[in-house]
Amino acid sequence: MDMQATMMEKLIETIVGAIEDKKGKNIVSLDLSGFDGAICSHFVVCSADSTTQVAAIAAGIEEKVLETLGEKLWRIEGQQNAVWIAMDYVDVVVHIFQTELRDFYRLEELWADAPMKRYEYEA
């Protein structure tokens, strides 16, 4: 595996760990690297029960990625209302949804052909 792929895996692993730390639910990663025109190579998607939890997960990811990998967040959208926060780490974009909104947008269905990995942990 090349260096960039290894760094990408570490980034995804760190993001997923931060989501688990804040009790995020239904965590999946989608590999978009095989799609022409995809805005990044991976999505990480999770759900949260409240705007407070959405914001806490985003803060936890930003802190843990910086602390563990020294990597800074490139852009973040949605912090104002915290019903859906998108965090851009260039190659990996994290989507933190309030559960009802995730059910409404069904992001995974838009990328149904993408290889998906589900993360299961004991809540």
PDB file of all heavy atoms in Angstrom, residues 14-44:
ATOM      1  N   THR A  14      -8.954   7.573  12.483  1.00  0.00           N
ATOM      2  CA  THR A  14      -8.961   8.601  13.532  1.00  0.00           C
ATOM      3  C   THR A  14     -10.327   9.281  13.595  1.00  0.00           C
ATOM      4  O   THR A  14     -10.871   9.506  14.682  1.00  0.00           O
ATOM      5  CB  THR A  14      -7.838   9.629  13.283  1.00  0.00           C
ATOM      6  OG1 THR A  14      -6.588   8.928  13.213  1.00  0.00           O
ATOM      7  CG2 THR A  14      -7.762  10.659  14.390  1.00  0.00           C
ATOM      8  N   ILE A  15     -10.890   9.606  12.435  1.00  0.00           N
ATOM      9  CA  ILE A  15     -12.219  10.233  12.372  1.00  0.00           C
ATOM     10  C   ILE A  15     -13.271   9.307  12.978  1.00  0.00           C
ATOM     11  O   ILE A  15     -14.074   9.731  13.816  1.00  0.00           O
ATOM     12  CB  ILE A  15     -12.575  10.606  10.913  1.00  0.00           C
ATOM     13  CG1 ILE A  15     -11.703  11.773  10.440  1.00  0.00           C
ATOM     14  CG2 ILE A  15     -14.070  10.920  10.775  1.00  0.00           C
ATOM     15  CD1 ILE A  15     -11.724  12.013   8.934  1.00  0.00           C
ATOM     16  N   VAL A  16     -13.249   8.035  12.577  1.00  0.00           N
ATOM     17  CA  VAL A  16     -14.227   7.065  13.097  1.00  0.00           C
ATOM     18  C   VAL A  16     -14.071   6.924  14.615  1.00  0.00           C
ATOM     19  O   VAL A  16     -15.065   6.904  15.348  1.00  0.00           O
ATOM     20  CB  VAL A  16     -14.101   5.702  12.374  1.00  0.00           C
ATOM     21  CG1 VAL A  16     -14.907   4.622  13.082  1.00  0.00           C
ATOM     22  CG2 VAL A  16     -14.559   5.833  10.920  1.00  0.00           C
ATOM     23  N   GLY A  17     -12.842   6.871  15.101  1.00  0.00           N
ATOM     24  CA  GLY A  17     -12.599   6.780  16.543  1.00  0.00           C
ATOM     25  C   GLY A  17     -13.168   7.971  17.292  1.00  0.00           C
ATOM     26  O   GLY A  17     -13.779   7.828  18.357  1.00  0.00           O
ATOM     27  N   ALA A  18     -13.010   9.175  16.712  1.00  0.00           N
ATOM     28  CA  ALA A  18     -13.546  10.388  17.340  1.00  0.00           C
ATOM     29  C   ALA A  18     -15.070  10.367  17.357  1.00  0.00           C
ATOM     30  O   ALA A  18     -15.695  10.786  18.337  1.00  0.00           O
ATOM     31  CB  ALA A  18     -13.041  11.621  16.606  1.00  0.00           C
ATOM     32  N   ILE A  19     -15.671   9.861  16.293  1.00  0.00           N
ATOM     33  CA  ILE A  19     -17.138   9.744  16.240  1.00  0.00           C
ATOM     34  C   ILE A  19     -17.612   8.768  17.316  1.00  0.00           C
ATOM     35  O   ILE A  19     -18.569   9.049  18.049  1.00  0.00           O
ATOM     36  CB  ILE A  19     -17.619   9.280  14.845  1.00  0.00           C
ATOM     37  CG1 ILE A  19     -17.331  10.354  13.789  1.00  0.00           C
ATOM     38  CG2 ILE A  19     -19.112   8.939  14.868  1.00  0.00           C
ATOM     39  CD1 ILE A  19     -17.492   9.888  12.351  1.00  0.00           C
ATOM     40  N   GLU A  20     -16.927   7.640  17.434  1.00  0.00           N
ATOM     41  CA  GLU A  20     -17.286   6.643  18.453  1.00  0.00           C
ATOM     42  C   GLU A  20     -17.149   7.216  19.860  1.00  0.00           C
ATOM     43  O   GLU A  20     -17.990   6.965  20.720  1.00  0.00           O
ATOM     44  CB  GLU A  20     -16.429   5.387  18.290  1.00  0.00           C
ATOM     45  CG  GLU A  20     -16.760   4.611  17.040  1.00  0.00           C
ATOM     46  CD  GLU A  20     -15.813   3.446  16.762  1.00  0.00           C
ATOM     47  OE1 GLU A  20     -14.758   3.339  17.432  1.00  0.00           O
ATOM     48  OE2 GLU A  20     -16.129   2.652  15.878  1.00  0.00           O
ATOM     49  N   ASP A  21     -16.103   8.025  20.078  1.00  0.00           N
ATOM     50  CA  ASP A  21     -15.888   8.654  21.389  1.00  0.00           C
ATOM     51  C   ASP A  21     -17.085   9.507  21.812  1.00  0.00           C
ATOM     52  O   ASP A  21     -17.384   9.621  22.992  1.00  0.00           O
ATOM     53  CB  ASP A  21     -14.643   9.560  21.376  1.00  0.00           C
ATOM     54  CG  ASP A  21     -13.342   8.777  21.296  1.00  0.00           C
ATOM     55  OD1 ASP A  21     -13.370   7.537  21.481  1.00  0.00           O
ATOM     56  OD2 ASP A  21     -12.296   9.409  21.044  1.00  0.00           O
ATOM     57  N   LYS A  22     -17.756  10.113  20.824  1.00  0.00           N
ATOM     58  CA  LYS A  22     -18.904  10.989  21.108  1.00  0.00           C
ATOM     59  C   LYS A  22     -20.234  10.271  20.861  1.00  0.00           C
ATOM     60  O   LYS A  22     -21.276  10.903  20.744  1.00  0.00           O
ATOM     61  CB  LYS A  22     -18.833  12.262  20.252  1.00  0.00           C
ATOM     62  CG  LYS A  22     -17.590  13.097  20.470  1.00  0.00           C
ATOM     63  CD  LYS A  22     -17.549  13.725  21.839  1.00  0.00           C
ATOM     64  CE  LYS A  22     -16.303  14.585  22.002  1.00  0.00           C
ATOM     65  NZ  LYS A  22     -16.115  15.038  23.353  1.00  0.00           N
ATOM     66  N   LYS A  23     -20.171   8.942  20.763  1.00  0.00           N
ATOM     67  CA  LYS A  23     -21.381   8.100  20.630  1.00  0.00           C
ATOM     68  C   LYS A  23     -22.178   8.362  19.355  1.00  0.00           C
ATOM     69  O   LYS A  23     -23.402   8.230  19.337  1.00  0.00           O
ATOM     70  CB  LYS A  23     -22.311   8.254  21.845  1.00  0.00           C
ATOM     71  CG  LYS A  23     -21.626   8.060  23.185  1.00  0.00           C
ATOM     72  CD  LYS A  23     -21.206   6.622  23.395  1.00  0.00           C
ATOM     73  CE  LYS A  23     -20.638   6.412  24.788  1.00  0.00           C
ATOM     74  NZ  LYS A  23     -19.354   5.759  24.799  1.00  0.00           N
ATOM     75  N   GLY A  24     -21.478   8.727  18.265  1.00  0.00           N
ATOM     76  CA  GLY A  24     -22.146   8.854  16.964  1.00  0.00           C
ATOM     77  C   GLY A  24     -22.667   7.489  16.535  1.00  0.00           C
ATOM     78  O   GLY A  24     -22.160   6.452  16.967  1.00  0.00           O
ATOM     79  N   LYS A  25     -23.687   7.486  15.702  1.00  0.00           N
ATOM     80  CA  LYS A  25     -24.355   6.235  15.314  1.00  0.00           C
ATOM     81  C   LYS A  25     -24.254   5.985  13.816  1.00  0.00           C
ATOM     82  O   LYS A  25     -24.037   6.901  13.040  1.00  0.00           O
ATOM     83  CB  LYS A  25     -25.834   6.306  15.693  1.00  0.00           C
ATOM     84  CG  LYS A  25     -26.058   6.406  17.185  1.00  0.00           C
ATOM     85  CD  LYS A  25     -27.534   6.484  17.491  1.00  0.00           C
ATOM     86  CE  LYS A  25     -27.727   6.583  19.003  1.00  0.00           C
ATOM     87  NZ  LYS A  25     -29.044   7.084  19.340  1.00  0.00           N
ATOM     88  N   ASN A  26     -24.451   4.711  13.464  1.00  0.00           N
ATOM     89  CA  ASN A  26     -24.580   4.311  12.059  1.00  0.00           C
ATOM     90  C   ASN A  26     -23.436   4.894  11.219  1.00  0.00           C
ATOM     91  O   ASN A  26     -23.661   5.599  10.245  1.00  0.00           O
ATOM     92  CB  ASN A  26     -25.957   4.765  11.544  1.00  0.00           C
ATOM     93  CG  ASN A  26     -26.344   4.080  10.256  1.00  0.00           C
ATOM     94  OD1 ASN A  26     -25.648   3.188   9.773  1.00  0.00           O
ATOM     95  ND2 ASN A  26     -27.443   4.504   9.680  1.00  0.00           N
ATOM     96  N   ILE A  27     -22.212   4.580  11.621  1.00  0.00           N
ATOM     97  CA  ILE A  27     -21.012   5.133  10.973  1.00  0.00           C
ATOM     98  C   ILE A  27     -20.650   4.294   9.748  1.00  0.00           C
ATOM     99  O   ILE A  27     -20.536   3.068   9.854  1.00  0.00           O
ATOM    100  CB  ILE A  27     -19.812   5.146  11.943  1.00  0.00           C
ATOM    101  CG1 ILE A  27     -20.184   5.834  13.261  1.00  0.00           C
ATOM    102  CG2 ILE A  27     -18.605   5.812  11.294  1.00  0.00           C
ATOM    103  CD1 ILE A  27     -19.198   5.574  14.390  1.00  0.00           C
ATOM    104  N   VAL A  28     -20.483   4.959   8.613  1.00  0.00           N
ATOM    105  CA  VAL A  28     -20.050   4.269   7.398  1.00  0.00           C
ATOM    106  C   VAL A  28     -18.996   5.122   6.697  1.00  0.00           C
ATOM    107  O   VAL A  28     -18.955   6.341   6.856  1.00  0.00           O
ATOM    108  CB  VAL A  28     -21.217   3.997   6.405  1.00  0.00           C
ATOM    109  CG1 VAL A  28     -22.261   3.081   7.015  1.00  0.00           C
ATOM    110  CG2 VAL A  28     -21.846   5.255   5.885  1.00  0.00           C
ATOM    111  N   SER A  29     -18.141   4.444   5.916  1.00  0.00           N
ATOM    112  CA  SER A  29     -17.264   5.184   5.001  1.00  0.00           C
ATOM    113  C   SER A  29     -17.557   4.674   3.595  1.00  0.00           C
ATOM    114  O   SER A  29     -17.827   3.483   3.395  1.00  0.00           O
ATOM    115  CB  SER A  29     -15.788   5.021   5.363  1.00  0.00           C
ATOM    116  OG  SER A  29     -15.353   3.707   5.182  1.00  0.00           O
ATOM    117  N   LEU A  30     -17.538   5.588   2.661  1.00  0.00           N
ATOM    118  CA  LEU A  30     -17.779   5.273   1.256  1.00  0.00           C
ATOM    119  C   LEU A  30     -16.513   5.596   0.481  1.00  0.00           C
ATOM    120  O   LEU A  30     -15.963   6.692   0.616  1.00  0.00           O
ATOM    121  CB  LEU A  30     -18.933   6.115   0.706  1.00  0.00           C
ATOM    122  CG  LEU A  30     -20.282   5.970   1.393  1.00  0.00           C
ATOM    123  CD1 LEU A  30     -21.239   7.046   0.906  1.00  0.00           C
ATOM    124  CD2 LEU A  30     -20.854   4.599   1.139  1.00  0.00           C
ATOM    125  N   ASP A  31     -16.059   4.648  -0.325  1.00  0.00           N
ATOM    126  CA  ASP A  31     -14.868   4.842  -1.149  1.00  0.00           C
ATOM    127  C   ASP A  31     -15.310   5.382  -2.505  1.00  0.00           C
ATOM    128  O   ASP A  31     -15.887   4.653  -3.317  1.00  0.00           O
ATOM    129  CB  ASP A  31     -14.136   3.508  -1.310  1.00  0.00           C
ATOM    130  CG  ASP A  31     -12.859   3.627  -2.109  1.00  0.00           C
ATOM    131  OD1 ASP A  31     -12.641   4.680  -2.748  1.00  0.00           O
ATOM    132  OD2 ASP A  31     -12.085   2.661  -2.111  1.00  0.00           O
ATOM    133  N   LEU A  32     -15.046   6.653  -2.747  1.00  0.00           N
ATOM    134  CA  LEU A  32     -15.467   7.307  -3.988  1.00  0.00           C
ATOM    135  C   LEU A  32     -14.329   7.410  -4.995  1.00  0.00           C
ATOM    136  O   LEU A  32     -14.477   8.037  -6.041  1.00  0.00           O
ATOM    137  CB  LEU A  32     -15.991   8.717  -3.688  1.00  0.00           C
ATOM    138  CG  LEU A  32     -17.060   8.835  -2.608  1.00  0.00           C
ATOM    139  CD1 LEU A  32     -17.449  10.298  -2.407  1.00  0.00           C
ATOM    140  CD2 LEU A  32     -18.276   8.005  -2.945  1.00  0.00           C
ATOM    141  N   SER A  33     -13.193   6.791  -4.685  1.00  0.00           N
ATOM    142  CA  SER A  33     -12.005   6.961  -5.523  1.00  0.00           C
ATOM    143  C   SER A  33     -12.192   6.429  -6.946  1.00  0.00           C
ATOM    144  O   SER A  33     -11.497   6.851  -7.861  1.00  0.00           O
ATOM    145  CB  SER A  33     -10.782   6.308  -4.866  1.00  0.00           C
ATOM    146  OG  SER A  33     -11.008   4.923  -4.677  1.00  0.00           O
ATOM    147  N   GLY A  34     -13.147   5.538  -7.149  1.00  0.00           N
ATOM    148  CA  GLY A  34     -13.368   4.992  -8.491  1.00  0.00           C
ATOM    149  C   GLY A  34     -14.322   5.807  -9.345  1.00  0.00           C
ATOM    150  O   GLY A  34     -14.640   5.422 -10.467  1.00  0.00           O
ATOM    151  N   PHE A  35     -14.794   6.940  -8.828  1.00  0.00           N
ATOM    152  CA  PHE A  35     -15.774   7.742  -9.553  1.00  0.00           C
ATOM    153  C   PHE A  35     -15.137   8.989 -10.138  1.00  0.00           C
ATOM    154  O   PHE A  35     -14.536   9.783  -9.416  1.00  0.00           O
ATOM    155  CB  PHE A  35     -16.912   8.178  -8.612  1.00  0.00           C
ATOM    156  CG  PHE A  35     -17.750   7.039  -8.131  1.00  0.00           C
ATOM    157  CD1 PHE A  35     -17.413   6.363  -6.968  1.00  0.00           C
ATOM    158  CD2 PHE A  35     -18.868   6.636  -8.834  1.00  0.00           C
ATOM    159  CE1 PHE A  35     -18.167   5.301  -6.519  1.00  0.00           C
ATOM    160  CE2 PHE A  35     -19.637   5.575  -8.390  1.00  0.00           C
ATOM    161  CZ  PHE A  35     -19.291   4.902  -7.238  1.00  0.00           C
ATOM    162  N   ASP A  36     -15.289   9.178 -11.455  1.00  0.00           N
ATOM    163  CA  ASP A  36     -14.811  10.410 -12.085  1.00  0.00           C
ATOM    164  C   ASP A  36     -15.644  11.569 -11.567  1.00  0.00           C
ATOM    165  O   ASP A  36     -16.857  11.465 -11.452  1.00  0.00           O
ATOM    166  CB  ASP A  36     -14.963  10.324 -13.610  1.00  0.00           C
ATOM    167  CG  ASP A  36     -13.943   9.384 -14.233  1.00  0.00           C
ATOM    168  OD1 ASP A  36     -12.919   9.112 -13.585  1.00  0.00           O
ATOM    169  OD2 ASP A  36     -14.187   8.914 -15.362  1.00  0.00           O
ATOM    170  N   GLY A  37     -14.996  12.658 -11.254  1.00  0.00           N
ATOM    171  CA  GLY A  37     -15.715  13.854 -10.842  1.00  0.00           C
ATOM    172  C   GLY A  37     -16.143  13.879  -9.386  1.00  0.00           C
ATOM    173  O   GLY A  37     -16.778  14.836  -8.960  1.00  0.00           O
ATOM    174  N   ALA A  38     -15.805  12.845  -8.607  1.00  0.00           N
ATOM    175  CA  ALA A  38     -16.133  12.865  -7.180  1.00  0.00           C
ATOM    176  C   ALA A  38     -15.303  13.967  -6.519  1.00  0.00           C
ATOM    177  O   ALA A  38     -14.145  14.178  -6.884  1.00  0.00           O
ATOM    178  CB  ALA A  38     -15.853  11.511  -6.536  1.00  0.00           C
ATOM    179  N   ILE A  39     -15.903  14.662  -5.552  1.00  0.00           N
ATOM    180  CA  ILE A  39     -15.209  15.800  -4.939  1.00  0.00           C
ATOM    181  C   ILE A  39     -14.089  15.392  -3.981  1.00  0.00           C
ATOM    182  O   ILE A  39     -13.286  16.207  -3.583  1.00  0.00           O
ATOM    183  CB  ILE A  39     -16.199  16.727  -4.194  1.00  0.00           C
ATOM    184  CG1 ILE A  39     -16.937  15.957  -3.099  1.00  0.00           C
ATOM    185  CG2 ILE A  39     -17.157  17.378  -5.158  1.00  0.00           C
ATOM    186  CD1 ILE A  39     -17.628  16.851  -2.101  1.00  0.00           C
ATOM    187  N   CYS A  40     -14.079  14.118  -3.576  1.00  0.00           N
ATOM    188  CA  CYS A  40     -13.041  13.624  -2.674  1.00  0.00           C
ATOM    189  C   CYS A  40     -12.940  12.119  -2.891  1.00  0.00           C
ATOM    190  O   CYS A  40     -13.690  11.545  -3.665  1.00  0.00           O
ATOM    191  CB  CYS A  40     -13.405  13.939  -1.217  1.00  0.00           C
ATOM    192  SG  CYS A  40     -14.950  13.168  -0.696  1.00  0.00           S
ATOM    193  N   SER A  41     -12.024  11.459  -2.196  1.00  0.00           N
ATOM    194  CA  SER A  41     -11.903  10.015  -2.391  1.00  0.00           C
ATOM    195  C   SER A  41     -12.710   9.204  -1.381  1.00  0.00           C
ATOM    196  O   SER A  41     -13.001   8.051  -1.626  1.00  0.00           O
ATOM    197  CB  SER A  41     -10.441   9.582  -2.403  1.00  0.00           C
ATOM    198  OG  SER A  41      -9.832   9.918  -1.196  1.00  0.00           O
ATOM    199  N   HIS A  42     -13.068   9.812  -0.238  1.00  0.00           N
ATOM    200  CA  HIS A  42     -13.867   9.095   0.761  1.00  0.00           C
ATOM    201  C   HIS A  42     -14.851  10.031   1.460  1.00  0.00           C
ATOM    202  O   HIS A  42     -14.518  11.177   1.719  1.00  0.00           O
ATOM    203  CB  HIS A  42     -12.980   8.462   1.841  1.00  0.00           C
ATOM    204  CG  HIS A  42     -12.246   7.258   1.374  1.00  0.00           C
ATOM    205  ND1 HIS A  42     -11.091   7.335   0.635  1.00  0.00           N
ATOM    206  CD2 HIS A  42     -12.502   5.936   1.532  1.00  0.00           C
ATOM    207  CE1 HIS A  42     -10.662   6.110   0.359  1.00  0.00           C
ATOM    208  NE2 HIS A  42     -11.511   5.247   0.890  1.00  0.00           N
ATOM    209  N   PHE A  43     -16.022   9.487   1.755  1.00  0.00           N
ATOM    210  CA  PHE A  43     -16.976  10.122   2.660  1.00  0.00           C
ATOM    211  C   PHE A  43     -16.994   9.299   3.926  1.00  0.00           C
ATOM    212  O   PHE A  43     -16.944   8.064   3.861  1.00  0.00           O
ATOM    213  CB  PHE A  43     -18.413  10.061   2.111  1.00  0.00           C
ATOM    214  CG  PHE A  43     -18.799  11.149   1.154  1.00  0.00           C
ATOM    215  CD1 PHE A  43     -20.002  11.040   0.467  1.00  0.00           C
ATOM    216  CD2 PHE A  43     -18.030  12.275   0.939  1.00  0.00           C
ATOM    217  CE1 PHE A  43     -20.409  12.026  -0.418  1.00  0.00           C
ATOM    218  CE2 PHE A  43     -18.432  13.270   0.058  1.00  0.00           C
ATOM    219  CZ  PHE A  43     -19.628  13.139  -0.631  1.00  0.00           C
ATOM    220  N   VAL A  44     -17.084   9.944   5.074  1.00  0.00           N
ATOM    221  CA  VAL A  44     -17.412   9.262   6.322  1.00  0.00           C
ATOM    222  C   VAL A  44     -18.722   9.901   6.768  1.00  0.00           C
ATOM    223  O   VAL A  44     -18.834  11.124   6.807  1.00  0.00           O
ATOM    224  CB  VAL A  44     -16.319   9.435   7.398  1.00  0.00           C
ATOM    225  CG1 VAL A  44     -16.745   8.780   8.709  1.00  0.00           C
ATOM    226  CG2 VAL A  44     -14.994   8.836   6.924  1.00  0.00           C
TER     227      VAL A  44
END
